[in-house]
Every structure is written in C-alpha cells, then in structure tokens.
C-alpha cells in the first residue's frame, strides 16, 4: 500500500483543525461588553445559557473605547455592547448588522459612603479640597461627565483619569478620591460602599447603549435577540438600566 504524501498529511491536518474550530465556534459566542454592564451581563449570560445550554457565552468586559480598539485591531468578537454610540460607530464598517439601542442609563455623583463632604450639587465638586476623578474623553463616562459639567458651567481639574467607570468607583470607594461622576447603575451595584447624589435634570445626560453583531453566525444572532427580548429587559430593569 502506498504511503500518503507529506502534502496529503498536511492537508488532512489543516482540514481537521478547521472542522474542530468550526465545531467550537458554533457552540460559543464572544461578547465584548462595556464595563458598566458587568453585573447585568453576568446575569444575562446565566439566563441565556440556561435557555441555550448548547451555547457558551464568553464575556470580555472593559471600557467601550478599549473594546472598540481591540475589535478594530482584529480581536475575535462576535457581539459588541457599548456604553455609547460613538464607540459603536468606530467599528461600524466591521458590523454584520446595524446596531440597536437596548438600554439607557443616567448619571450620578458618587461619593464615599455617607457622603462625608456633604456634596449635594455639581457645583460642590468645584471646591478645591474635593478630589475629583473621571475618565478620558474617549471613554463614554468621561465624555458624558464632561457634557454634564459643561451644562452646569462647572470647571474641574481631575486628580486622575481611570480606564473605565469601574475604576472611578474603585478610587472613590477606597478613599483615594472624594467624588466622581458615574452611571446610576454603578452606584446601585456598589451598594452601601458608596453614596450616590442625584444630578439635576437640567444638567443630566442619558447614556444610550447599542448592541450589534460582528459575525454572521447563528450563535451571535441568538444572543443579540435574547438581549433585545422581554426576559433580558426584566434583568436589565433589575440592575437599574432604563428602556431604550
């Protein structure tokens, strides 16, 4: 019997790898989600996998700007859920279908537990003794915060710029900063470890969260459809996210 050639062996090996990868991709979905969605998407992942036990959700959480940069650089994402439309627009040419707004959020001032400095308004943040922390303008919460402060005509000098909204909450909770501006959902998630102060409606900004597929795969479509479902809407409500 003739022995198979090296070229034939290599071809069979590559084919086997492709089949193996295809089988794996059909049962997983890689979701890139904004840091502010951490708790909600942990719950959504569990609920989705309970309904679809044949699909494994792999969630990558970070600031929307960082996720958009990863996607542009070729990171293997199937779905992108951003905390703003600007970063979704950065990956627009890579989308398999138009983005859909699935949630909204409001902003709050976050302070140390008990609000020891008695911060009540945005103007109180301008006190030189208040250590204010935020994010860079390419991060959604940084841009939203800048918009809110501009509306209130408040000029601040942040002591640091964090990579995501979670970093702002961590700095304030640890006592390394006195206050920041974050999403209302992050104040809820932090519980009694911080205190939230409402921002007047005149200065408020509503954050809009879009979600979109990056790959034309059944698992991607199924996950996005789930996030847009009434079941997911109930979960998002529980975590303080508003309807589109």
């Amino acid at each position: 019997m003739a022995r198979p050639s090296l070229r034939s062996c290599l071809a069979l090996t590559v084919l086997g790898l492709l089949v193996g990868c295809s089988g794996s991709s059909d049962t997983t979905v890689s979701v890139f989600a904004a840091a502010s969605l951490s708790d909600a998407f942990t719950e959504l992942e569990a609920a989705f996998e309970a309904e679809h036990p044949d699909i494994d959700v792999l969630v990558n959480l970070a600031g929307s700007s960082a996720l958009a940069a990863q996607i542009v650089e070729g990171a293997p994402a199937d779905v992108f859920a951003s905390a703003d439309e600007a970063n979704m627009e950065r990956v627009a040419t890579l989308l398999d279908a138009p983005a859909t707004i699935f949630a909204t959020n409001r902003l709050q001032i976050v302070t140390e537990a008990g609000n020891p400095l008695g911060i009540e308004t945005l103007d109180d943040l301008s006190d030189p003794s208040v250590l204010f922390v935020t994010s860079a303008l390419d991060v959604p919460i940084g841009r939203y915060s800048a918009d809110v402060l501009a509306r209130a005509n408040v000029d601040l000098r942040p002591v640091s710029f964090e990579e995501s909204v979670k970093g702002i909450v961590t700095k304030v909770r640890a006592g390394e900063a006195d206050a920041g501006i974050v999403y209302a959902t992050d104040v809820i998630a932090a519980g009694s470890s911080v205190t939230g102060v409402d921002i007047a409606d005149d200065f408020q900004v509503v954050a809009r969260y879009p979600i979109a597929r990056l790959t034309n795969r059944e698992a991607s479509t199924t996950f996005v459809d789930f996030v847009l479902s009434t079941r997911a809407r109930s979960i998002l409500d529980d975590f303080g996210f508003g309807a589109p």
Side-chain angles (χ1 to χ4, degrees):
M1 180 181 296
R3 298 178 61 183
S5 68
L6 177 59
R7 178 176 298 178
S8 298
C9 289
L10 289 174
L12 290 172
T13 300
V14 171
L15 177 60
L17 288 172
L18 289 174
V19 170
C21 291
S22 174
S24 174
S25 65
D26 287 341
T27 59
T28 63
V29 58
S30 177
V31 178
F32 281 34
S36 55
L37 292 166
S38 297
D39 293 337
F41 265 50
T42 296
E43 187 72 19
L44 285 173
E45 176 186 358
F48 176 84
E49 291 180 346
E51 288 189 15
H52 304 277
D54 56 325
I55 302 176
D56 182 26
V57 180
L58 306 175
V59 182
N60 177 26
L61 296 161
S64 297
S65 58
L67 294 174
Q70 291 173 26
I71 292 169
V72 169
E73 291 169 2
D78 294 307
V79 175
F80 181 31
S82 174
D84 69 346
E85 294 172 276
N87 278 295
M88 183 63 75
E89 185 62 28
R90 289 176 61 190
V91 303
T93 59
L94 303 175
L95 299 181
D96 183 67
T100 302
I101 303 299
F102 70 96
T104 58
N105 215 335
R106 291 172 65 84
L107 306 188
Q108 278 191 317
I109 299 170
V110 62
T111 74
E112 290 185 69
N115 192 7
L117 297 183
I119 295 170
E120 298 180 352
T121 67
L122 291 168
D123 193 55
D124 291 337
L125 299 175
S126 63
D127 187 319
S129 66
V130 175
L131 301 179
F132 178 78
V133 63
T134 186
S135 292
L137 292 179
D138 63 337
V139 179
I141 192 61
R143 185 170 59 258
Y144 290 139
S145 297
D147 289 347
V148 164
L149 294 169
R151 292 184 182 192
N153 197 28
V154 174
D155 185 26
L156 301 179
R157 294 182 179 276
V159 295
S160 71
F161 293 89
E162 302 304 309
E163 294 183 357
S164 72
V165 67
K166 293 299 183 185
I168 297 173
V169 174
T170 298
K171 274 288 181 71
V172 173
R173 182 166 46 201
E176 297 175 18
D178 299 315
I181 295 176
V182 299
Y183 302 112
T185 53
D186 289 292
V187 175
I188 294 172
S192 60
S193 65
V194 299
T195 294
V197 178
D198 289 337
I199 294 173
D201 288 342
D202 288 346
F203 312 129
Q204 183 64 254
V205 170
V206 176
R208 287 158 51 88
Y209 287 65
I211 189 169
R213 296 195 320 266
L214 290 151
T215 57
N216 184 19
R217 296 177 49 242
E218 183 176 354
S220 306
T221 301
T222 302
F223 184 81
V224 171
D225 287 347
F226 177 80
V227 172
L228 299 175
S229 70
T230 55
R231 172 74 178 107
R233 177 71 261 153
S234 176
I235 293 173
L236 290 165
D237 285 343
D238 289 343
F239 285 91
F241 289 92

